[in-house]
Amino acid sequence: MTERIGVNTLSQFVSMCAVAVAVALTTAPGAAAAAPAKKKATASKTVRSAAKPRTVVVRRGGTSTRMAVARVAPAAVEAARPSFGQLYGLHETSDALDLKSSVALVLDQDTDEVLLSKNSQAVLPIASITKLMTALVVSEAGLPHDEWLTVTDEDIDTEKGSRSRLKVGTQLTRGEMLHLALMSSENRAAHALGRHYPGGLPAFVAAMNRKAVELKMRDTHFNDPTGLSSQNQSSARDLATLVKAAYQVPLIRELSTSPEHAVAVGDRQLQYRTTNNLVLNPHWEIGLQKTGYIAEAGRCLVMQARLAGRKLIMVFLDSAGKYSRLGDAERVRRWLTEASGGSAISPVSTHLPRY
């Protein structure tokens, strides 16, 4: 857009522009009310528009000068919240495999030999890895899997505001809820499982913590059955213990490694898929798995898998990047596969000093 402006000096012109912008922002009818609703949809367009300068013509005496004036830039987008691992400086730890997870542990399921350890003593939020303990408590309770459970308002996530395709009023069997919680990390399903436990949700969470004590998971605490709470925390060593215990339950092995599952909700079929694409990878023989993510925890993954002729338990916590936890698992697989062709595998161990 080109405008002709008669001013004596450049400084006067700049001052006039600033006043005009301020007046426009404070007097535009409905601007303040409309902005929040359109902010997300038009953010990229706003940035591009702000980067493109306006062309104006400044008249000084009998001459005109054409000049570009930058538009007022919008406020910077708020940076993503750092994970606990980032706040603790765990990502500063380097390792021989260049893992993107700040915490990692690989051990032999049968002998407990540690093949790889990186900050495995750190206690961090574990996100939906929690659902393995949820499944373990449900399984050991001996509750009927064909009993119908109903999703209610109580199952809506008020912690993180996450979405769910299980609308309030949805009825599924306990077995189907367990399937969706393990395979697709369905939060409302996991919450409903805890709420329908004898004694309700408080009794269920208490049972989760009792089981952790029984398994000697000394660095572990649970606050809810979904993992949406950042107060659900554990260490890689404790989670390896949890994976080993959950692996003893055939149903948890089966449901956690299921690639997809459809459930009937009224007259509709809802198709769910695994959150771990390694389950579909022919290079992997996975016996149990669970993924997890909340901002405080970063990307997490635990698995039981057969690699290099051994049953291994793998734990990756606080991985930065959407696919980096799977990439870390692949790095470990290649390392173990290559090492198994030669001499004995040399354990890798890296830790930050305690603080």
Side-chain angles (χ1 to χ4, degrees), residues 163-182:
R163 298 181 179 181
S164 171
R165 289 192 288 164
L166 299 182
K167 297 181 179 180
V168 172
T170 298
Q171 290 188 318
L172 294 175
T173 65
R174 180 174 281 106
E176 288 174 323
M177 293 283 195
L178 188 60
H179 197 158
L180 299 186
L182 286 172

Side-chain angles (χ1 to χ4, degrees), residues 334-353:
R334 288 195 297 269
W335 167 60
L336 292 174
T337 301
E338 293 168 2
S340 66
S343 58
I345 298 172
S346 299
V348 175
S349 180
T350 51
H351 303 283
L352 273 181

Side-chain angles (χ1 to χ4, degrees), residues 48-283:
R48 287 196 296 269
S49 176
K52 185 177 180 181
R54 295 173 62 240
T55 301
V56 299
V57 176
V58 180
R59 299 189 60 183
R60 294 180 179 176
T63 62
S64 299
T65 303
R66 189 179 295 271
M67 63 180 293
V69 178
R71 297 178 184 270
V72 178
V77 178
E78 184 179 354
R81 187 190 319 168
S83 68
F84 280 31
Q86 290 171 325
L87 292 174
Y88 296 158
L90 298 181
H91 282 272
E92 297 173 12
T93 308
S94 60
D95 63 85
L97 300 184
D98 193 25
L99 301 177
K100 307 308 176 186
S101 303
S102 71
V103 172
L105 180 67
V106 178
L107 57 82
D108 188 296
Q109 181 178 353
D110 296 323
T111 67
D112 285 333
E113 178 189 0
V114 175
L115 303 180
L116 182 148
S117 177
K118 178 182 179 182
N119 294 326
S120 59
Q121 81 285 3
V123 179
L124 298 174
I126 59 173
S128 287
I129 306 302
T130 295
K131 293 183 177 75
L132 279 182
M133 181 60 86
T134 298
L136 194 57
V137 171
V138 169
S139 298
E140 292 187 351
L143 303 172
H145 283 208
D146 58 355
E147 179 182 351
W148 291 91
L149 311 184
T150 303
V151 175
T152 71
D153 288 331
E154 296 179 67
D155 301 317
I156 296 175
D157 170 24
T158 58
E159 179 85 17
K160 297 291 189 292
S162 61
R163 298 181 179 181
S164 171
R165 289 192 288 164
L166 299 182
K167 297 181 179 180
V168 172
T170 298
Q171 290 188 318
L172 294 175
T173 65
R174 180 174 281 106
E176 288 174 323
M177 293 283 195
L178 188 60
H179 197 158
L180 299 186
L182 286 172
M183 181 190 72
S184 292
S185 213
E186 170 51 68
N187 289 316
R188 289 187 186 177
H191 196 274
L193 287 169
R195 193 170 49 76
H196 286 85
Y197 186 80
L201 195 60
F204 187 81
V205 174
M208 295 173 74
N209 286 303
R210 280 198 306 273
K211 187 63 181 178
V213 171
E214 178 187 326
L215 293 173
K216 298 181 180 179
M217 297 169 62
R218 297 182 177 89
D219 295 326
T220 301
H221 174 76
F222 295 103
N223 192 60
D224 83 308
T226 66
L228 290 167
S229 171
S230 60
Q231 295 182 48
N232 287 21
Q233 299 186 7
S234 188
S235 65
R237 290 186 178 275
D238 276 8
L239 291 180
T241 299
L242 176 59
V243 169
K244 186 180 292 189
Y247 184 80
Q248 303 307 312
V249 183
L251 183 63
I252 296 179
R253 296 203 303 267
E254 176 188 347
L255 299 184
S256 71
T257 57
S258 172
E260 61 182 0
H261 181 64
V263 294
V265 177
D267 57 355
R268 297 181 300 140
Q269 285 277 333
L270 297 183
Q271 188 73 29
Y272 285 84
R273 291 180 174 81
T274 179
T275 57
N276 183 355
N277 287 334
L278 295 182
V279 169
L280 309 174
N281 190 321
H283 295 297

